[in-house]
Amino acid sequence: MTKTFALKQSHSHLPERIAVILVHSPLAALIGREPLTRMNYLLEIASLHTRAELLAQPGLGRTGVRRIENWMAFHGHRMRDVNESLDCVICHFALRRSSVRKSNRRCSSLSAIASVQERSRETAR
């Protein structure tokens, strides 16, 4: 195994111990209730945290946080900045395909509501 391949492979996955810490972090509750749901959105959960918040997690040290940073960078994500709000980070989460299919009815009803609101604004003018 080449050194470059080993480095890429180490960044492509997260050790189970660190994943469990992220799944049980307080901010993970913003993503879902069930641990399985949280596990599916592990990158999003990690991106909600600042470096200082992760360092404050029991069981994570500088090495663990560095592993998380490298893993996130490998997957095109980053941690939240200190001056960045949680809602700003959540607004940038991408929709997953399964979520889009499940919420198709909701999206069509939302677009119908938006068109009714637009018509009512035009008649009010």
Side-chain angles (χ1 to χ4, degrees):
M1 192 179 329
T2 66
K3 191 174 186 177
T4 323
F5 179 75
L7 184 64
K8 283 183 181 180
Q9 190 175 9
S10 70
H11 293 329
S12 67
H13 77 282
L14 201 59
E16 184 179 347
R17 178 186 65 79
I18 294 175
V20 168
I21 291 170
L22 286 172
V23 164
H24 294 293
S25 69
L27 293 178
L30 296 173
I31 301 299
R33 272 190 208 176
E34 301 297 319
L36 185 59
T37 303
R38 292 177 182 186
M39 196 59 97
N40 290 330
Y41 291 92
L42 203 54
L43 275 166
E44 288 83 356
I45 291 170
S47 67
L48 291 174
H49 293 86
T50 63
R51 183 172 173 72
E53 289 169 343
L54 286 176
L55 283 170
Q57 286 288 325
L60 277 182
R62 290 181 187 193
T63 306
V65 172
R66 199 171 311 118
R67 295 272 315 249
I68 293 171
E69 285 175 321
N70 291 335
W71 172 73
M72 291 178 72
F74 180 84
H75 292 286
H77 288 261
R78 64 172 178 81
M79 288 183 199
R80 181 170 59 95
D81 291 329
V82 176
N83 57 356
E84 195 173 17
S85 67
L86 282 171
D87 55 346
C88 182
V89 174
I90 292 171
C91 285
H92 287 92
F93 287 164
L95 289 176
R96 305 259 176 110
R97 285 188 179 242
S98 62
S99 302
V100 173
R101 282 188 222 128
K102 288 177 186 174
S103 65
N104 229 0
R105 288 187 203 143
R106 189 180 73 189
C107 290
S108 62
S109 64
L110 288 176
S111 62
I113 291 169
S115 64
V116 168
Q117 288 176 340
E118 184 62 34
R119 279 189 234 135
S120 66
R121 283 188 203 131
E122 288 175 1
T123 56
R125 292 181 193 169

